[in-house]
Amino acid sequence: MRTAAVVMALLAGLLAQPARAEFHVFACEPEWAALVRAWLPEADITTATHYLQDPHYIEARPSLIAKLRRADLAVCTGASLEAGWLPTLLQRAANPAIQVGRPGLFLAAEQVELRDAHRPVDRSMGDVHPEGNPHVHLAPDRLPRIAEALMERLRQLRPDLSSQLFVRYLRWRGAWNQQREVWRQAAERLRGHSVVVQHGSFRYLLDWLGVEAVLDLEPKPGLPPSAAHLQQLLAAPELGPADAILVASHQDPRPAQWLSEQTGKPVRVLPGTVTDDAATDTLAELISTIVAALLDPSGEGAVDQP
């Protein structure tokens, strides 16, 4: 008991030590901002996108360039997700600390093996990422490896906070493991179910849960649903057993709503990343919200959008 009390007192002392306020973090997507905030809440964190934006396509605004110019750490997904705007930001910011190959640039997709890698790739395939599906933040099994690598990068850049960062990470990992067991129990109920999707935003989580994405509203990755393609889906035999049509908040819901009107299948519009709402402002809460929606495809017991 005395040893435990000493350990707890030591941990409390470590967490109470102040952090330098001038540490600036640039997160390309909200999921990475949420992770950094869990371990370094004192940091000045800028997020380039939000849950109502498609992270593939944003404007390289002067305000983002200014934020990136003063960043000590940039955390992005990689795997070509930000290929349309991040290289421009990095070039114009001219910040040597966060260039490719420097410790100040952390790419989450490089820390794990991705699904659906394609080599070679040509434009006839649509907006395909050659490195694989980049939406890995919704992978319950892969995310802890990314989180540990990010924590270690923070410790490298902030050696004065090494102990505090490690303790905060351990707390996060313990809570994540507990929540993952809850999702495993839900997966037993969901295994064998199927949904219609739009794009591969939820692919990792669906696969982990054993829920099959049988049809895609996009005729090819990144191409908006067309009337001809929707008519083909309407005739597809896989549509019959599907429980719901799942789309992300940043996507146009009208194609899904049209298919719903033709079939009676419910549409679930859910954030593809963390939001400012308390119910989905961490990755664990976001995944729990998506799992709850899959368990209740009619939407009678949950609210779709925060």
Side-chain angles (χ1 to χ4, degrees), residues 170-206:
L170 289 179
R171 289 182 174 177
W172 176 91
R173 183 63 183 265
W176 183 268
N177 290 342
Q178 289 182 342
Q179 195 60 54
R180 188 163 54 181
E181 288 308 308
V182 176
W183 303 329
R184 288 190 194 280
Q185 294 174 23
E188 294 301 318
R189 298 169 56 188
L190 289 168
R191 200 165 303 281
H193 287 229
S194 62
V195 293
V196 178
V197 298
Q198 182 169 334
H199 199 64
S201 303
F202 302 104
R203 171 69 186 278
Y204 286 97
L205 180 58
L206 293 175

Side-chain angles (χ1 to χ4, degrees), residues 213-264:
V214 289
L215 296 170
D216 196 322
L217 295 175
E218 294 182 343
K220 293 181 180 180
L223 299 182
S226 64
H229 181 64
L230 291 175
Q231 287 290 347
Q232 291 177 357
L233 297 185
L234 193 58
E238 299 92 337
L239 182 60
D243 298 295
I245 306 167
L246 188 65
V247 298
S249 299
H250 68 270
Q251 295 167 336
D252 183 355
R254 290 175 295 180
Q257 291 167 352
W258 180 87
L259 192 61
S260 174
E261 291 169 0
Q262 308 305 310
T263 63

Side-chain angles (χ1 to χ4, degrees), residues 268-306:
R268 300 311 308 267
V269 181
L270 297 163
T273 184
V274 299
T275 75
D276 293 331
D277 188 272
T280 49
D281 65 356
T282 70
L283 281 168
E285 290 164 338
L286 172 64
I287 290 177
S288 294
T289 295
I290 298 170
V291 170
L294 293 169
L295 289 170
D296 179 27
S298 69
E300 295 177 356
V303 177
D304 273 4
Q305 290 210 63

Side-chain angles (χ1 to χ4, degrees), residues 153-166:
R153 186 67 58 86
L154 284 168
R155 294 177 76 190
Q156 178 183 354
L157 296 173
R158 292 300 306 270
D160 57 313
L161 295 176
S162 180
S163 298
Q164 294 98 307
L165 288 165
F166 186 66

Side-chain angles (χ1 to χ4, degrees), residues 14 20 66 74 77 101 114 118 128 149 168 193 221 236 238 267 291 303:
L14 289 173
R20 294 201 315 262
T77 298
L114 303 182
H118 294 274
V128 171
R168 288 168 176 162
H193 287 229
E238 299 92 337
V267 176
V291 170
V303 177

Side-chain angles (χ1 to χ4, degrees), residues 9-202:
L10 176 61
L11 293 181
L14 289 173
L15 293 176
Q17 294 181 23
R20 294 201 315 262
E22 68 270 22
F23 192 76
H24 302 284
V25 178
F26 182 96
C28 287
E29 291 84 29
E31 55 263 28
W32 312 129
L35 275 184
V36 172
R37 192 172 294 112
W39 309 320
L40 196 60
E42 305 90 348
D44 175 31
I45 303 175
T46 296
T47 309
T49 59
H50 57 74
Y51 78 102
L52 292 176
Q53 287 181 302
D54 186 338
H56 295 82
Y57 312 107
I58 71 164
E59 181 183 357
R61 304 186 303 276
S63 60
L64 293 179
I65 296 171
K67 291 290 187 179
L68 198 56
R69 183 173 292 130
R70 64 198 300 243
D72 300 293
L73 172 66
V75 186
C76 300
T77 298
S80 302
L81 181 65
E82 307 96 352
W85 53 275
L86 182 59
T88 299
L89 285 181
L90 291 172
Q91 180 183 25
R92 294 182 180 177
N95 181 346
I98 56 165
Q99 296 302 315
V100 175
R102 299 290 297 169
L105 179 61
F106 180 91
L107 299 178
E110 292 184 352
Q111 315 306 317
V112 293
E113 182 179 352
L114 303 182
R115 298 188 65 93
D116 305 325
H118 294 274
R119 304 269 184 196
V121 170
D122 60 68
R123 297 310 300 172
S124 68
M125 301 169 66
D127 188 14
V128 171
H129 299 268
E131 304 92 338
N133 187 322
H135 306 290
V136 71
H137 62 288
L138 293 179
D141 53 343
R142 288 171 170 84
L143 186 71
R145 297 200 293 274
I146 296 173
E148 183 176 3
L150 178 56
M151 180 271 299
E152 292 295 350
R153 186 67 58 86
L154 284 168
R155 294 177 76 190
Q156 178 183 354
L157 296 173
R158 292 300 306 270
D160 57 313
L161 295 176
S162 180
S163 298
Q164 294 98 307
L165 288 165
F166 186 66
V167 169
R168 288 168 176 162
Y169 163 75
L170 289 179
R171 289 182 174 177
W172 176 91
R173 183 63 183 265
W176 183 268
N177 290 342
Q178 289 182 342
Q179 195 60 54
R180 188 163 54 181
E181 288 308 308
V182 176
W183 303 329
R184 288 190 194 280
Q185 294 174 23
E188 294 301 318
R189 298 169 56 188
L190 289 168
R191 200 165 303 281
H193 287 229
S194 62
V195 293
V196 178
V197 298
Q198 182 169 334
H199 199 64
S201 303
F202 302 104

